[in-house]
Amino acid sequence: MKLERAEALFATPLLVFRLEGAEALNAQLSSEALERRRNEPGLERSNRGGWHSADDFFRRSEPGAQALQHQVVQAITQATLHVSPRFPLSRYGLQVEGWININGQGAMNAPHDHPGWVWSGCYYVAVELDAGGALELLDHRTNIRTLTVDGADCFASKHRHQPQAGELVIFPSWLRHWVEPNLGKQDRISIALNARYVAHGS
């Protein structure tokens, strides 16, 4: 017999982008993030410890913020067309919100998701190597499974992604996730985001 076709039913996309010129951009973003932390009290959301900015990153005018805003919009467009090649982009406007996370030693983000959005993601500005802080994505299916197939991601109950500076990760907003504690001595700086499409005229 021969395999006629294989379909990835209920698949969960994880898209990883590598930004060009990330080293210079990250230096600028780090400076801007640390300046904001010195002057703003921060929020408590999923963060446990660390500092969380207001959700205004995509309204900021600092040079680093504006440079990243442009690249994130391009990446979201690519992600959308990857999962839906005929999506009518011209009929929609894109709404994006974002915020800065600065996790010092021991800081983490508890399990959560982002209701009301289509895409979520994170750009990694400063990541200390071999210091924990991985992004763990949790299986959204609710049925209990007792068996698995070793080496098959489609059977796994979670996926652990160890980020690198200069990397942008995008995934569906309904996907529950958390961030492991930062075990290093250096601040771990990232910029999280949500995005959705709104029909023109609505």
Side-chain angles (χ1 to χ4, degrees):
M1 75 177 70
K2 69 174 183 177
L3 176 66
E4 185 173 291
R5 71 176 184 272
E7 299 182 21
L9 298 178
F10 315 116
T12 303
L14 173 66
L15 301 106
V16 181
F17 298 84
R18 169 68 57 180
L19 271 63
E20 295 182 3
E23 187 172 346
L25 175 59
N26 289 346
Q28 182 68 43
L29 288 168
S30 292
S31 175
E32 294 169 5
L34 295 173
E35 178 66 19
R36 290 192 62 181
R37 184 174 65 173
R38 283 190 289 270
N39 294 290
E40 301 175 24
L43 307 175
E44 184 173 341
R45 297 284 176 81
S46 68
N47 50 310
R48 302 294 179 264
W51 182 82
H52 183 305
S53 77
D55 301 336
D56 63 352
F57 184 82
F58 284 83
R59 299 191 301 272
R60 305 292 298 192
S61 59
E62 295 93 336
Q66 290 200 331
L68 182 61
Q69 290 163 17
H70 178 69
Q71 296 204 56
V72 165
V73 169
Q74 289 185 323
I76 292 169
T77 300
Q78 288 186 50
T80 301
L81 293 176
H82 177 80
V83 299
S84 180
R86 291 181 294 277
F87 183 77
L89 287 167
S90 62
R91 300 181 189 173
Y92 293 87
L94 181 64
Q95 292 182 348
V96 190
E97 71 169 13
W99 59 95
I100 300 168
N101 291 305
I102 303 179
N103 282 0
Q105 190 170 34
M108 60 169 286
N109 292 77
H112 64 286
D113 51 30
H114 299 263
W117 298 90
V118 173
W119 293 112
S120 292
C122 194
Y123 176 70
Y124 297 94
V125 178
V127 179
E128 185 177 351
L129 296 177
D130 302 319
L135 171 67
E136 190 166 272
L137 305 160
L138 306 176
D139 187 358
H140 61 284
R141 295 167 293 186
T142 57
N143 60 307
I144 299 174
R145 299 175 310 285
T146 58
L147 297 176
T148 187
V149 175
D150 290 342
D153 289 343
C154 60
F155 282 89
S157 61
K158 59 186 178 181
H159 176 77
R160 187 174 182 272
H161 180 79
Q162 187 64 57
Q164 300 178 17
E167 196 174 70
L168 171 62
V169 176
I170 295 177
F171 50 88
S173 294
W174 46 255
L175 184 59
R176 199 160 179 80
H177 56 283
W178 71 290
V179 178
E180 296 176 355
N182 177 12
L183 304 179
K185 296 180 179 179
Q186 300 176 15
D187 284 333
R188 183 175 178 277
I189 304 175
S190 62
I191 297 165
L193 64 100
N194 292 318
R196 63 189 171 202
Y197 291 94
V198 178
H200 291 309
S202 63

